[in-house]
Every structure is written in structure tokens, then in C-alpha cells.
Amino acid sequence: MRKLPVARLNELFAAIAAERKLYIPAGDAKTAAFTLWREGLEMTKALNTSRSAKDLFFPQVENLVDFKVSGREIEIVESRDPGESFVVFGVRACDCRSFDILDKVFLCDPADTYYQSRRENGVVVTLACKEPEETCFCTALGVDPADPAGDVTGWTEGEDLYLRANTEKGESLLAGLPLFVEGEKPETDRSVFGRLPLKELDWSAFGGEKMMELFSSPAWESLAESCLGCGTCTFVCPTCQCYDVKDFKTNDGVRRFRCWDSCMYSDFTLMSAGQPRPTQLERFRQRFMHKLVYYPSNHEGEFGCVGCGRCLQKCPISMNIVKVARALGEEAKP
């Protein structure tokens, strides 16, 4: 266990940034985001970022490949990131768990090499939570916010920061930083998590074996009728992985981009034969069935949600996964 005074945090950031890119959560509670560190940039005091650390591994927009056209000749130009090493510091337990969910999608055979490269080159330093928001419900999904995973786990206690390496990448990072002294892991007070209002959410009504029963539930109509289809929930969600691939014509060829998409949009999965989910109800149902039924049925019961609470905070009409889970769970009771 390594120990460092919190007052020397900027020294730590400078030492890391001297060797590789470093991203830290910066900004106020409404705008906090993982930002490339520079001298003078302070870490946010907000519990979590507005959008998750997912952006660093699965960017909102990325250039996949370019096609240069000259007469009848087409040259394929590799335009992916060079795979630089980077560190993301201050990731919360919920966002760290989201990487496990994304890994099961992007690293299954055949692996998405763009995502794979970033996962291999990125070092995740997590930071334990001490004062969660009332909208947090990660503990109801088996996440331990007081002892998060990651390549390195961090805790702040009093005037000190404590870091523990969990992987070879984490050991390598800490070994190259001479600022630390040895210390003992601080005692963790978990009592605050037992007082969270959403700590006892019941997920027992969900799972692959109840797929058709849940799909045909009449509750979807009343739940979906107020949804605006704005997609805010999908863009702040750390586990959403839907994307589209678009080609843009340039003066000398074509540039191909991958960009996030949302199952809440009317043109999502639109094909020449038509739209397979033509109503907002069907699109709304698809989002939550994926999180609560389809994903767990394919991944040994693991839900496609980490309880970060962002959709509770950001939805303009306060429709979120907690309300859906409660409504469908009540209906499923005998």
C-alpha cells in the first residue's frame, strides 16, 4: 500500500503526465468530465463526472479509416489512434464495473481492435466513494463503492491518499513514481451506503427465463408514454454501446467514422425495408429490456447497469431504470 499527502496530488499528476497522458475528473458538479491534465488543472470535488470514463475507451466519435480516391485507384489509409499509453485517474467503482460490461461486448470474438487497443494501453486508477449521492444504487447491483476494482485502487483518508496496485499495469505505474511512502489501508466506513434510499432495489423479477413475460407486459405503455426519445439517458450511461458507422465524402475520397447512437431515436436500426421498432413504446422497451433481460441472459445473469444514477439525474421527465424496474417488478409479483 502506497501513501501520499493529498497536498502533493498535483506533484503526483505531474509525475504521471511526464511519462504518459493523464486524464482526471475536472469541472463543477454539472459539467465535470475526464480532462487531459495540465499544470494548474484541479480535480473536481463532485462525486462523479457528468459523462462516464467510457469516452476514453469507446469515444463518442472516432475516425475509423479513410479512403483516398485518385481516378480508378482507391487507397485505404489507416487513421486509428497510435495506441498511446494513458492513465485515467479518479474513476468511481460504478464506472470501473462498466468496463467489465463493455469488455464482454467489444472483446468477444472477433474483438473490436479499436477498443482493445485503448483497454491495453489505458491504466485505470479508481477512487473509493465516501459520500454517495441519493441517486446512487451501485450496491444493489453488487458493486462495492468503498473498495473499487481497477489497475490501482485509491482511498482518501484525512490528509492522505492511499493507493493499492491490483494488476501488473498498476504495479508498473506505481513503481515508476518515487513520491510514496509505505502505509496501511485505511479503515472503511460503509455505514453511509446502508442508508441510501435505493440500496434495496429488487431485481429478482428480471432475467432471461422471463423474457417473453416481461416483453409482453402491459406496463410498457404507461411507462413509455411520457418518454421524449431525446436519448439523454443513453449518452450519459456508462454501459450503453450502440453506435452507427457513417461515411463522409471529401474532396479526394471518403472518411469513415464511428459515432454513438441511441436505441431511443426513431432512425436507430432504420433499414431500406423500414424501421423494425416504429413506435416510441417499442424503442423505450428495447432500451430497458436490453439492460435488464437480454444482456443478463447472455452473460450469466449480470445486468447491463452499474447503478451510477446518471439517468436519474439527467432525464428531463424523470423516467429512468429504477422506475421501470419497480413497475415491472411489482407487476411480476404473485
Side-chain angles (χ1 to χ4, degrees), residues 21-231:
K21 287 184 176 180
L22 168 66
Y23 297 87
I24 68 169
D28 60 32
K30 289 186 177 181
T31 63
F34 283 95
T35 305
L36 185 64
W37 184 83
R38 62 185 184 279
E39 190 66 45
L41 185 67
E42 298 291 334
M43 194 162 73
T44 183
K45 290 182 171 57
L47 172 69
N48 216 343
T49 50
S50 180
R51 286 200 334 207
S52 77
K54 174 181 75 175
D55 293 38
L56 296 171
F57 300 97
F58 174 41
Q60 184 173 350
V61 178
E62 61 180 321
N63 187 191
L64 298 178
V65 68
D66 293 343
F67 302 93
K68 299 295 184 181
V69 180
S70 177
R72 294 189 175 185
E73 298 294 322
I74 299 178
E75 178 188 4
I76 301 176
V77 180
E78 183 71 66
S79 54
R80 71 171 67 208
D81 293 342
E84 294 178 289
S85 179
F86 68 92
V87 175
V88 51
F89 185 97
V91 177
R92 297 299 184 180
C94 52
D95 282 358
C96 187
R97 172 65 69 85
S98 77
F99 302 149
D100 295 337
I101 293 172
L102 295 174
D103 285 352
K104 289 181 174 68
V105 175
F106 290 115
L107 298 184
C108 66
D109 189 30
D112 182 308
T113 56
Y114 293 84
Y115 177 87
Q116 183 180 46
S117 175
R118 295 188 181 97
R119 287 291 278 142
E120 290 173 350
N121 286 284
V123 181
V124 176
V125 181
T126 57
L127 199 57
C129 298
K130 296 172 66 177
E131 299 178 2
E133 302 277 1
E134 289 189 351
T135 51
C136 294
F137 57 100
C138 66
T139 55
L141 289 156
V143 178
D144 186 355
D147 193 357
D151 297 301
V152 177
T153 302
W155 296 265
T156 55
E157 188 64 37
E159 301 299 319
D160 295 312
L161 169 70
Y162 297 82
L163 295 176
R164 180 193 70 205
N166 301 320
T167 67
E168 289 184 10
K169 285 196 295 184
E171 285 284 5
S172 177
L173 173 68
L174 296 186
L177 300 171
L179 304 172
F180 299 101
V181 297
E182 289 299 315
E184 295 293 326
K185 180 180 179 295
E187 290 295 323
T188 301
D189 180 9
R190 287 184 167 82
S191 60
V192 64
F193 304 111
R195 298 193 295 272
L196 290 174
L198 301 176
K199 66 182 176 63
E200 294 182 351
L201 281 171
D202 183 7
W203 305 96
S204 61
F206 304 97
E209 71 279 3
K210 300 176 181 177
M211 187 178 297
M212 294 314 300
E213 175 186 341
L214 291 166
F215 185 88
S216 303
S217 170
W220 292 115
E221 184 173 358
S222 59
L223 288 167
E225 63 183 357
S226 59
C227 178
L228 304 176
C230 65

Side-chain angles (χ1 to χ4, degrees), residues 4 12 40 76 104 116 128 186 214 271 295 308 329 334:
L4 179 76
L12 173 63
I76 301 176
K104 289 181 174 68
Q116 183 180 46
L214 291 166
M271 300 175 286
Y295 188 91
C308 69

Side-chain angles (χ1 to χ4, degrees), residues 61-64 244-246 248 255-259:
V61 178
E62 61 180 321
N63 187 191
L64 298 178
D244 196 3
V245 175
K246 294 183 179 290
F248 292 89
R255 304 194 74 188
R256 176 166 293 172
F257 290 88
R258 171 162 68 181
C259 50

Side-chain angles (χ1 to χ4, degrees), residues 267-281:
D267 60 352
F268 181 73
T269 65
L270 181 65
M271 300 175 286
S272 58
Q275 168 57 276
R277 302 184 190 95
T279 68
Q280 190 61 40
L281 184 154

Side-chain angles (χ1 to χ4, degrees), residues 239-303:
T239 67
C240 279
Q241 65 258 185
C242 293
Y243 63 85
D244 196 3
V245 175
K246 294 183 179 290
D247 291 345
F248 292 89
K249 188 176 184 303
T250 65
N251 290 332
D252 59 350
V254 172
R255 304 194 74 188
R256 176 166 293 172
F257 290 88
R258 171 162 68 181
C259 50
W260 291 355
D261 205 349
S262 173
C263 57
M264 306 296 274
Y265 293 162
S266 60
D267 60 352
F268 181 73
T269 65
L270 181 65
M271 300 175 286
S272 58
Q275 168 57 276
R277 302 184 190 95
T279 68
Q280 190 61 40
L281 184 154
E282 291 167 297
R283 295 189 287 272
F284 181 92
R285 180 176 57 192
Q286 163 61 25
R287 169 170 165 73
F288 293 105
M289 284 289 287
H290 180 259
K291 301 285 187 191
L292 300 172
V293 182
Y294 304 150
Y295 188 91
S297 72
N298 288 319
H299 297 96
E300 300 180 342
E302 181 179 12
F303 292 106

